[in-house]
Amino acid sequence: MRALFRRKITWAALTVVAVAGAFALWAFQPWRLFTSSTIDEALPVAATAPPGTAQTSSTSSAPAAPAGPRQLASGSFVAQEHATSGQAAVLELRDGQRVLRLTGLSSSDGPDLHVWLTDAAAGGDWFKYDDGRQVKLGSLKATHGNQNYVIPPGTSLDGLRSVVIWCDRFNVAFGSAPLQL
């Protein structure tokens, strides 16, 4: 009788350990400590001429419009929960579309990483970014390289002070960059 009881307790304990282990693997995805990905997207350009502008002939003496996007704000990433470096810039294309451009990004991989613009200052406590205003730009495309994120039309940039690489699963910032004019 006593041996049967011990076997039941052993099997119950093994079942609990197996379920907890499976949950830990799902939640923490420890293999991501050893993985990374790289992307190298081109600098964005406007698809069309700005609204309300007329195309002029090449013999016109009018000055040419700037070929590249105009930088509205930029900053360098600082590490928070994970080592993160690189540059972030908010760019306005000739057609008025705005994008966030990350260049030279280097960060750790993790579960459920996203790119946000936030009203919180960069650096410091890594859990503060979901307390205020955020503009969610999408999932992080890669842990390394150059990438672009479209800022939704009509989004006010007033009061947005930083870019953050955010882990939704654990509510922590991997890194952030201040947006300075």
Side-chain angles (χ1 to χ4, degrees):
M1 180 83 160
R2 190 171 198 168
L4 180 61
F5 181 71
R6 281 187 184 166
R7 271 190 254 148
K8 285 183 179 183
I9 293 295
T10 301
W11 280 109
L14 288 173
T15 301
V16 168
V17 168
V19 169
F23 176 77
L25 286 174
W26 169 82
F28 292 99
Q29 300 178 356
W31 57 89
R32 290 194 178 239
L33 292 171
F34 308 104
T35 62
S36 66
S37 55
T38 302
I39 191 169
D40 189 15
E41 293 184 326
L43 183 68
V45 295
T48 60
T53 61
Q55 297 290 344
T56 58
S57 70
S58 60
T59 59
S60 170
S61 62
R70 181 172 64 107
Q71 184 171 292
L72 302 177
S74 66
S76 297
F77 274 97
V78 295
Q80 293 198 258
E81 179 65 10
H82 292 268
T84 302
S85 62
Q87 303 293 314
V90 175
L91 305 174
E92 183 175 68
L93 306 181
R94 287 181 47 201
D95 63 0
Q97 182 181 29
R98 294 172 299 171
V99 297
L100 173 68
R101 170 109 172 131
L102 306 182
T103 55
L105 179 68
S106 177
S107 187
S108 299
D109 200 358
D112 210 14
L113 297 181
H114 297 270
V115 178
W116 293 0
L117 298 173
T118 73
D119 63 354
D125 295 332
W126 44 257
F127 52 82
K128 66 185 174 185
Y129 297 97
D130 63 348
D131 291 341
R133 179 175 165 225
Q134 316 95 26
V135 176
K136 299 176 181 183
L137 302 180
S139 295
L140 185 68
K141 296 175 184 178
T143 58
H144 293 79
N146 306 313
Q147 45 200 283
N148 306 309
Y149 297 87
V150 173
I151 298 172
T155 299
S156 171
L157 298 177
D158 291 340
L160 296 176
R161 299 170 29 184
S162 66
V163 176
V164 64
I165 307 299
W166 183 255
C167 178
D168 262 351
R169 178 151 313 150
F170 294 106
N171 291 323
V172 298
F174 273 41
S176 61
L179 290 176
Q180 300 170 348
L181 300 175

